[in-house]
């Protein structure tokens, strides 16, 4: 049954993979929330969730953000990947500061650093710094590579029994977005997370070859990982429609992985949620129908 109380939580990025999972988990717990969306037409599934209140707005439009934040105390900040992401999040932080938001939970990225050679890690670190300087209470969530990012390899896994990247034999402690969303729920609804930065990882660090072995085992057919040169991967990304800035950013991400900089395993998910994070084999089992 839909909650009758007004929501005090705002979700941005609510129609994306993490935002929609977060909305689903909040709804299942009977926690009302407001979702900032750019179009009601693209948020029909979201609108059907119990406790959901939708508001149309744009991070480029401060007036729409003021309306969206009316009566809101806690915010989950996430924007889709774009060249403007840093600017858009900075805009949002400024309005949140003005409207009296009490707690901002930002989805950042594992190893965020102002001096990183990876553009995505620099931008997340810059927004984190802006939030610290704003005086807002904050929680920064820094997830590693999403297990669900492997869904991008679906076609080649299904049709060729292979997937391709530039990770070498480096280990990556990749994480399931369902566990990320569970941490967000706790950070938004329970005290004690203010001022904290959580690295979010799975329970193990795997090479892409080990991921392929799990695919092979669960799907009961051979799946191989093929390591390719960065230029090869870049061309493949461009050929399927990735803009140059994003293709180059992903190449930087994979260089970061291949240097072994994403191998640390964190206990934060267990500590925050009280449940162990899902392992990669469980992810493949849950998505078997997608890869079959």
């Amino acid at each position: 049954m839909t909650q009758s109380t007004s929501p005090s939580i705002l979700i941005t990025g609510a129609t994306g993979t993490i935002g929609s999972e977060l909305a689903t988990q909040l709804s299942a717990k009977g926690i009302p929330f407001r979702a900032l969306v750019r179009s009601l037409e693209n948020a029909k599934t979201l609108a059907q969730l119990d406790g959901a209140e939708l508001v149309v707005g744009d991070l480029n439009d401060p007036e729409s953000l003021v309306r969206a934040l009316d009566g809101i105390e806690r915010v989950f900040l996430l924007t889709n990947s774009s060249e403007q992401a840093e600017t858009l999040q900075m805009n949002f932080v400024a309005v949140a500061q003005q409207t009296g938001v009490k707690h901002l939970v930002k989805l950042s990225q594992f190893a965020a650093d102002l001096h990183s050679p990876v553009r995505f890690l620099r931008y997340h670190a810059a927004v984190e710094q802006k939030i610290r300087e704003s005086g807002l209470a904050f929680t920064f969530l820094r997830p590693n590579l999403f297990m669900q990012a492997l869904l991008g390899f679906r076609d080649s896994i299904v049709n060729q029994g292979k997937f391709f990247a530039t990770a070498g034999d480096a280990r990556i402690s990749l994480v399931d977005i369902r566990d990320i969303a569970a941490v967000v729920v706790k950070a938004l609804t329970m005290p004690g997370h203010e001022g904290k930065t959580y690295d979010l990882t799975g329970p193990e660090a795997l090479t892409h070859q080990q991921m392929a072995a799990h695919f092979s085992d669960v799907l009961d057919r051979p799946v191989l990982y093929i390591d390719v040169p960065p230029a090869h991967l870049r061309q493949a990304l461009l050929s399927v429609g990735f803009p140059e800035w994003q293709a180059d950013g992903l190449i930087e991400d994979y260089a970061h992985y291949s240097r072994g900089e994403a191998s640390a395993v964190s206990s934060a998910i267990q500590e925050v949620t009280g449940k162990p994070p899902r392992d990669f084999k469980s992810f493949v089992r849950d998505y078997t129908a997608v890869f079959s």
Side-chain angles (χ1 to χ4, degrees):
M1 184 174 178
T2 303
Q3 295 274 340
S4 59
T5 55
S6 297
S8 61
I9 293 171
L10 177 74
I11 302 175
T12 67
T15 57
T17 52
I18 292 177
S20 59
E21 177 64 26
L22 170 60
T24 299
Q25 291 191 23
L26 287 171
S27 179
K29 292 179 178 293
I31 300 168
F33 62 92
R34 183 179 299 161
L36 177 66
V37 298
R38 296 190 67 177
S39 162
L40 294 177
E41 182 66 26
N42 295 330
K44 290 180 178 177
T45 301
L46 195 62
Q48 294 171 358
L49 292 175
D50 282 352
E53 174 189 304
L54 271 55
V55 58
V56 176
D58 190 316
L59 271 69
N60 270 317
D61 178 3
E63 289 187 8
S64 73
L65 297 183
V66 170
R67 291 193 297 272
L69 287 166
D70 183 38
I72 293 295
E73 297 181 351
R74 292 156 288 165
V75 173
F76 176 60
L77 177 59
L78 165 65
T79 56
N80 65 338
S81 184
S82 75
E83 283 187 285
Q84 293 77 41
E86 179 179 335
T87 299
L88 294 176
Q89 292 196 18
M90 296 284 199
N91 290 347
F92 187 92
V93 172
V95 178
Q97 188 179 12
Q98 295 163 12
T99 56
V101 168
K102 293 180 179 176
H103 184 199
L104 194 155
V105 178
K106 171 179 161 51
L107 192 83
S108 186
Q109 188 172 339
F110 191 85
D113 188 320
L114 288 170
H115 307 292
S116 172
V118 183
R119 66 193 67 193
F120 301 142
L121 300 184
R122 291 196 301 273
Y123 113 67
H124 280 300
V127 178
E128 286 185 4
Q129 180 172 287
K130 173 76 171 179
I131 293 169
R132 287 192 185 94
E133 293 171 351
S134 74
L136 290 166
F138 65 84
T139 307
F140 297 145
L141 306 181
R142 294 178 170 180
N144 209 343
L145 175 64
F146 302 160
M147 292 181 187
Q148 281 76 2
L150 276 290
L151 296 172
F153 297 130
R154 177 197 174 277
D155 287 350
S156 65
I157 289 174
V158 170
N159 298 319
Q160 302 177 50
K162 300 174 183 177
F163 62 105
F164 306 83
T166 61
D169 58 0
R171 294 177 180 271
I172 306 168
S173 53
L174 64 177
V175 61
D176 195 298
I177 63 167
R178 294 170 291 184
D179 294 324
I180 298 171
V183 173
V184 179
V185 170
K186 292 292 187 180
L188 286 172
T189 62
M190 301 295 290
H193 301 291
E194 296 85 352
K196 301 290 183 63
T197 298
Y198 295 121
D199 288 335
L200 304 182
T201 75
E204 59 195 341
L206 301 175
T207 66
H208 275 57
Q209 291 86 348
Q210 289 172 317
M211 296 176 210
H214 285 310
F215 276 120
S216 300
D217 185 33
V218 174
L219 301 177
D220 198 26
R221 56 185 170 83
V223 175
L224 298 175
Y225 166 64
I226 309 297
D227 201 58
V228 297
H232 183 111
L233 178 60
R234 183 180 187 275
Q235 187 55 46
L237 291 169
L238 294 174
S239 71
V240 296
F242 279 77
E244 282 199 21
W245 69 267
Q246 193 169 25
D248 290 340
L250 288 170
I251 295 299
E252 292 168 3
D253 259 344
Y254 266 97
H256 158 67
Y257 300 143
S258 68
R259 291 190 296 267
E261 296 170 355
S263 63
V265 174
S266 166
S267 59
I269 289 173
Q270 171 84 52
E271 291 167 0
V272 174
T273 69
K275 297 179 180 179
R278 293 169 174 85
D279 60 25
F280 187 75
K281 197 165 191 174
S282 297
F283 158 76
V284 180
R285 286 195 193 101
D286 290 346
Y287 285 83
T288 296
V290 177
F291 291 107
S292 299

